[in-house]
């Protein structure tokens, strides 16, 4: 019998975020409308404190908490910092448009709860805890998608919820089948048991689990909700939907692949490789001729899931997989949020042509947009460049050279639709969409761009820090 470790300090970042959400909900019930910004400030403090706590915990040896149900290791530590940092950026682009809104405090609480679900998904190594974290990340996201209560937002929330409910049921069914096959829910015990389990049963359970995880990550074939939900949501919510849930879901998939399916009879690496190829290819094809900027970024994020799945496919076949995955996760998050911050800074600009003349009117904002978009392609010296290089090296080292070649081809092809946005932004002329702007979102865009470039320049030390072992 494993000794139960119930030290709440092992989950200090998660506890801080949960406490902030609960306290913020109570404060929002009593504070006047003009002072509900205090709930957002409380959320910022919780995120900053959580990043500090996660950084301190990352220097300690890998361990587990609560009967090995939650892992405190390199994957958890990196995911914590990325999720909480991403939450700070989302809060930053939300303050101005939400100021004075009658439900301002509720928005901040929902953002924190969605981030908390992502944190729990990243660290869990128990199927039941993963299912609970999945629901915690999902339900606030559904509410945020329709937060504006307008036509597009309602449609986005409805489509998001219907697809999520269906695939969530499939995930729970997959968890049930895997438990029936392995008679355990803890990843290490389940992984040992599945080696001798009937292969059809393991395959059914794995497909159900994948259905839910890919929905949360926005990967093929569970990607249909992404363009409509992102386009119909407000820009800050769209930024959240395309980043924070992906971090938790993909980190959970990485851990499942390493601890559960590494030695099973299921061809797990080949399955993830095919899904990666489909996601990056179909995402690029969908983005080619989009005119709406949020819809273009939505298809872009589908393709980025394909690249993020590259190291996941070879988690047990390459020593480079963990460093490549965690680094790319951080690089994508900050670069994607930088692009969305530019969108938030120009709330009247909805199409590519609305950005015409941006370089003349707001050169710094245009520079941020160009750097972030070229960063998503994988242009040096941004962080995504080194992340893609590491991911390509990992899959090549893991025996999937064809996947590395396909990823390189997709990278070159993606330049086309990013240039369709960059060219109007640096062209002459003016657009009515540039008339008004959000100064706070501009600052967030500048900060995210600087971090993206800085992370790329400091790639060596960061990669070394991401090489720690997983939990025992």
């Amino acid at each position: 019998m494993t000794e139960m470790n119930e030290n709440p300090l092992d989950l200090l970042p998660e506890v801080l975020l949960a406490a902030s959400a609960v306290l913020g909900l109570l404060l929002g019930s009593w504070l006047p409308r003009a002072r509900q910004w205090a709930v957002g400030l409380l959320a910022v403090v919780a995120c900053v404190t959580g990043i500090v706590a996660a950084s301190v915990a990352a220097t300690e040896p890998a361990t587990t908490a609560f009967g090995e149900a939650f892992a405190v290791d390199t994957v958890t530590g990196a995911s914590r910092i990325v999720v909480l940092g991403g939450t700070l950026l989302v809060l930053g682009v939300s303050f101005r448009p939400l100021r004075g809104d009658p439900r301002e405090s509720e928005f901040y609480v929902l953002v924190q709860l969605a981030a908390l679900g992502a944190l729990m998904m990243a660290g869990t190594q128990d199927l039941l805890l993963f299912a609970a974290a999945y629901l915690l990340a999902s339900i606030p996201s559904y509410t945020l998608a329709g937060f504006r209560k307008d036509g597009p937002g309602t449609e986005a929330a409805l489509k998001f919820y219907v697809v999520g409910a269906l695939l969530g049921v499939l995930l729970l069914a997959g968890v049930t089948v895997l438990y029936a096959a392995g008679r355990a829910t803890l990843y290490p015990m389940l992984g040992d048991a599945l080696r001798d389990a009937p292969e059809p049963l393991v395959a059914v359970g794995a497909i159900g689990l994948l259905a839910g995880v890919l929905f949360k990550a926005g990967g093929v074939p569970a990607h249909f909700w992404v363009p409509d939900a992102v386009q119909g949501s407000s820009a800050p919510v769209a930024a959240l939907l395309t980043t924070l849930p992906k971090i938790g879901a993909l980190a959970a998939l990485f851990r499942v692949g390493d601890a559960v399916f590494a030695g099973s009879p299921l061809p797990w690496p080949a399955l993830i490789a095919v899904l990666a190829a489909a996601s990056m290819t179909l995402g690029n094809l969908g983005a080619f001729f989009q005119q709406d900027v949020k819809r273009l970024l939505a298809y872009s994020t589908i393709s980025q899931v394909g690249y993020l799945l590259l190291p996941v496919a070879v988690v047990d076949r390459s020593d480079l997989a963990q460093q490549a995955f965690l680094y790319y996760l951080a690089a994508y998050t900050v670069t994607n949020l930088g692009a969305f911050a530019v969108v938030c800074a120009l709330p009247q600009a909805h199409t590519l042509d609305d950005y015409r003349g941006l370089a003349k009117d707001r050169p710094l904002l245009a520079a941020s947009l160009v750097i972030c978009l070229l960063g998503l392609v994988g242009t040096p010296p941004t962080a995504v460049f080194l992340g893609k290089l590491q991911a390509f090296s990992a899959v090549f080292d893991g025996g999937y050279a064809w996947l590395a070649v396909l990823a390189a081809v997709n990278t070159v092809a993606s330049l086309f639709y990013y240039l369709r946005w960059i060219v109007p932004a640096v062209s002459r002329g003016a657009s009515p969409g540039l008339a008004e702007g959000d100064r706070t979102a501009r600052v967030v865009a500048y900060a995210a761009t600087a971090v993206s470039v800085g992370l790329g320049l400091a790639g060596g030390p960061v990669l070394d820090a991401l090489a720690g072992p997983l939990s025992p």
Side-chain angles (χ1 to χ4, degrees), residues 107 140-158 160 225-242 292 294-295 340 343-344 350:
F107 182 92
S141 299
Y142 301 149
T143 308
L144 287 170
F147 193 81
R148 293 186 302 185
K149 291 186 176 181
D150 56 3
T154 302
E155 181 182 356
L158 181 61
F160 191 15
W225 63 273
V226 178
D228 292 332
V230 170
Q231 184 181 16
S233 304
S234 64
V237 173
L240 182 149
L241 294 180
T242 56
D292 186 278
K294 287 194 291 185
R295 199 169 183 88
F340 265 105
V343 175
C344 294
H350 303 292

Side-chain angles (χ1 to χ4, degrees), residues 33-40 95 98-109 147:
R33 183 179 301 179
R35 296 183 180 177
Q36 290 196 9
W37 56 265
V39 178
F95 281 130
L98 281 171
R99 191 67 183 271
D101 190 282
R103 295 175 297 143
E104 182 179 359
S105 60
E106 286 92 330
F107 182 92
Y108 301 137
V109 170
F147 193 81

Side-chain angles (χ1 to χ4, degrees), residues 155-178:
E155 181 182 356
L158 181 61
K159 291 181 178 179
F160 191 15
Y161 171 74
V162 169
V163 177
L166 172 62
L167 296 179
V169 169
L170 291 180
L171 179 137
L172 295 176
V175 168
T176 304
V177 172
L178 289 175

Side-chain angles (χ1 to χ4, degrees), residues 62-86:
T63 185
T64 57
F66 294 88
E68 300 184 4
F70 193 88
V72 184
D73 53 20
T74 305
V75 172
T76 303
S79 299
R80 283 170 166 174
I81 294 171
V82 175
V83 168
L84 292 173

Side-chain angles (χ1 to χ4, degrees), residues 445-466:
Y446 304 152
T449 304
V451 173
S452 179
V453 175
L455 189 61
L457 296 175
V462 174
L463 286 169
D464 291 339
L466 298 176

